[in-house]
């Protein structure tokens, strides 16, 4: 096993570090201090061929304020806050509207994704890891409170990559962090993810309005949103039902049936090469985004990213929960400790 600070590079004149974590089974992950991001995730297939299973930019500078959030940590809030507004303890807050001037997306202009995080690596007999940390000042992007956060990535020999999210604040605020990796289990993006199978242990999803804001909790039964039994992602992706709810594919929150870290809430599998990704989480929901709006991203190896060539599995509190009674509001108060976990387990079947 090893945890290695591989190199420093530069993004927008800032010095950023790249860290490699490797286990004893040929699984490795490259992380970056800018955005506390996953840059690359290498794992073997059924025949032992080691390939990258996330989208990676060819050039590191492309991560600068990257609007696709490749592998990055999103925050303070992940997803969209409707009209960039919320009320907390009787006060109105107006966030930066970094999406079309209508919504706050993934925490705004200077969100967690675009910070160069501090970090410390660690290693023991069974695991290697890196703890990233950063601070967001009071009223940054319009959010109240000075917030200190940590995201720790730990890789072990059971082929699990654990993400632990921690945070504290000095005033009541919102906090809802996720990782925005784009998975493609075929390896080096050989095939679209429409040919991969998805299982979501969630009987309900959140319907969206034209600004992609959640407006209604609905049952998945008899809709294209039903992944309660494993289904090819491509099976219903072009259905008219889906087209009426979001452009070009899936981009919705599912409410998970339980918050059990010992039971996979989501399973992505590629029957062809045998790679399987099991996701366990303490978060109540997952936003599934099927890379519906590629922006000519130049990927490692010289390929241009194409629609549906990846899937994001963004475990989090329901986005915009603060504005929707009955959902998790994502409020963090002084004295409370934010503590959520997501485990990506890499299997071969
Ligand atoms: C996701 C989506 C969006 C978006 C973005 C980069 O989480 O919900 O629609 O384009 O990521």
């Amino acid at each position: 096993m090893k945890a290695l600070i591989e190199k420093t590079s530069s993004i927008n004149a800032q010095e950023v570090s790249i860290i490699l974590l490797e286990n004893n089974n040929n699984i490795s992950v490259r992380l970056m201090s800018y955005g506390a991001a996953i840059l690359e995730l290498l794992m073997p297939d059924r025949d032992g061929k080691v390939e990258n299973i996330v989208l990676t930019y060819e050039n590191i500078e492309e991560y600068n304020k990257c609007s696709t959030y490749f592998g990055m940590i999103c925050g303070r809030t992940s997803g969209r806050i409707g009209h960039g507004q919320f009320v907390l303890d009787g006060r109105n807050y107006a966030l930066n509207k970094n999406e079309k001037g209508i919504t706050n997306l993934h925490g705004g202009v200077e969100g967690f994704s675009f910070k160069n995080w501090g970090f410390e690596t660690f290693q023991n007999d069974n695991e290697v890891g890196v703890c990233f940390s950063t601070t967001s000042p009071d009223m940054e992007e319009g959010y109240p409170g000075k917030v200190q956060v940590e995201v720790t990535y730990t890789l072990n020999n059971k082929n699990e990559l654990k993400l632990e999210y921690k945070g504290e604040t000095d005033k009541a605020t919102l906090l809802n962090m996720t990782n925005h990796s784009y998975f493609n289990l075929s390896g080096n993006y050989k095939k679209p993810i429409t040919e991969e199978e998805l299982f979501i242990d969630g009987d309900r999803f959140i319907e969206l309005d034209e600004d992609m804001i959640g407006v209604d909790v609905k049952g998945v039964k008899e809709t294209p949103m039903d992944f309660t039994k494993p289904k090819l992602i491509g099976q219903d992706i072009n259905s008219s039902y889906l087209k009426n709810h979001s452009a070009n594919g899936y981009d919705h929150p599912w409410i998970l049936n339980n918050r059990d870290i010992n039971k996979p809430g989501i399973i992505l599998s590629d029957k062809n090469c045998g790679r399987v990704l099991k996701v366990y989480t303490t978060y109540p929901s997952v936003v599934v985004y099927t890379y519906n709006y590629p922006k000519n991203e130049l990927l490692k190896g010289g390929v241009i990213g194409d629609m549906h060539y990846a899937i994001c599995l963004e475990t989090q509190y329901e986005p915009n929960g603060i504005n929707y009674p009955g959902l998790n509001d994502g409020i963090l108060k002084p004295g409370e400790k934010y503590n959520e976990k997501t485990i990506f387990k890499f299997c071969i079947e």
Side-chain angles (χ1 to χ4, degrees):
M1 307 213 83
K2 67 177 170 204
L4 196 76
I5 301 168
E6 278 195 321
K7 56 181 168 196
T8 50
S9 207
S10 164
I11 294 181
N12 198 19
Q14 295 176 81
E15 198 172 89
V16 306
S17 298
I18 295 174
I19 303 126
L20 175 75
L21 305 180
E22 202 173 87
N23 77 359
N24 293 340
N25 308 317
N26 275 331
I27 293 177
S28 58
V29 54
R30 263 200 185 89
L31 300 155
M32 173 171 68
S33 58
Y34 185 81
I38 294 179
L39 281 189
E40 249 186 308
L41 229 167
L42 300 159
M43 81 170 278
D45 69 2
R46 198 184 280 130
D47 302 321
K49 190 166 181 205
V50 176
E51 290 171 307
N52 186 13
I53 58 158
V54 294
L55 298 192
T56 304
Y57 273 118
E58 174 85 343
N59 303 310
I60 197 100
E61 298 79 22
E62 296 297 326
Y63 286 90
N64 185 23
K65 296 273 163 80
C66 117
S67 64
T68 34
Y69 298 83
F70 272 15
M72 293 166 141
I73 295 298
C74 300
R76 295 188 191 188
T77 49
S78 303
R80 296 177 174 85
I81 303 272
H83 308 289
Q85 281 177 3
F86 63 95
V87 179
L88 187 53
D89 291 340
R91 264 192 70 178
N92 285 309
Y93 291 95
L95 301 174
N96 270 342
K97 297 178 193 165
N98 59 327
E99 192 184 47
K100 301 178 198 150
I102 302 171
T103 46
N104 172 282
L105 176 65
H106 297 323
V109 186
E110 298 291 338
F112 290 176
S113 309
F114 311 127
K115 287 182 184 291
N116 195 18
W117 297 50
F119 69 93
E120 263 178 59
T121 58
F122 56 89
Q123 180 161 7
N124 59 44
D125 289 350
N126 301 312
E127 52 188 34
V128 281
V130 53
C131 175
F132 290 102
S133 55
T134 195
T135 303
S136 172
D138 188 24
M139 292 314 286
E140 187 175 40
E141 295 298 303
Y143 298 96
K146 177 180 168 193
V147 165
Q148 275 167 308
V149 293
E150 274 181 18
V151 177
T152 304
Y153 292 88
T154 311
L155 179 66
N156 63 23
N157 281 325
K158 291 189 280 178
N159 301 337
E160 295 166 340
L161 179 67
K162 182 168 70 180
L163 281 72
E164 268 181 288
Y165 300 91
K166 292 190 176 166
E168 287 182 37
T169 183
D170 63 359
K171 286 186 195 146
T173 192
L174 298 184
L175 193 58
N176 185 10
M177 296 181 277
T178 194
N179 175 279
H180 207 300
S181 285
Y182 287 71
F183 294 100
N184 181 323
L185 298 182
S186 72
N188 302 344
Y189 5 96
K190 280 194 288 294
K191 289 183 184 174
I193 48 86
T194 45
E195 296 178 31
E196 295 182 359
E197 254 183 39
L198 183 66
F199 160 78
I200 304 176
D201 188 12
D203 295 338
R204 292 171 301 153
F205 76 104
I206 302 178
E207 207 167 55
L208 307 171
D209 68 10
E210 63 279 4
D211 296 327
M212 312 286 288
I213 301 296
V215 282
D216 211 359
V217 175
K218 287 267 167 83
V220 297
K221 240 192 161 96
E222 286 160 19
T223 77
M225 320 306 281
D226 191 355
F227 286 93
T228 53
K229 291 190 190 72
K231 175 172 90 176
L232 278 180
I233 296 166
Q235 186 177 310
D236 299 322
I237 204 165
N238 293 316
S239 67
S240 52
Y241 179 92
L242 198 53
K243 283 214 178 338
N244 291 338
H245 293 78
S246 95
N248 302 346
Y250 293 100
D251 194 355
H252 297 75
W254 269 258
I255 298 175
L256 297 170
N257 289 338
N258 51 65
R259 297 177 71 168
D260 185 351
I261 196 74
N262 297 306
K263 214 174 149 214
I266 307 129
I267 302 176
L268 179 67
S269 57
D270 187 318
K271 296 281 177 248
N272 198 38
C273 70
R275 291 191 184 100
V276 177
L277 172 67
K278 295 185 181 170
V279 185
Y280 304 76
T281 190
T282 58
Y283 276 126
S285 84
V286 60
V287 171
V288 174
Y289 171 56
T290 47
Y291 194 28
N292 304 330
Y293 328 105
K295 295 180 181 128
N296 290 320
E297 284 90 6
L298 178 61
L299 306 176
K300 199 162 181 179
V303 188
I304 301 288
D306 210 352
M307 187 162 83
H308 301 160
Y309 264 71
I311 183 167
C312 303
L313 304 169
E314 306 161 43
T315 51
Q316 58 189 269
Y317 303 123
E318 298 87 339
N320 202 39
I322 182 76
N323 292 320
Y324 192 98
L327 297 181
N328 291 281
D329 52 24
I331 296 172
L332 183 72
K333 297 193 172 133
E336 288 179 351
K337 288 192 191 306
Y338 186 103
N339 191 356
E340 300 294 349
K341 285 186 198 66
T342 292
I343 296 173
F344 295 128
K345 186 172 172 76
F346 312 107
C347 312
I348 298 167
E349 287 176 5

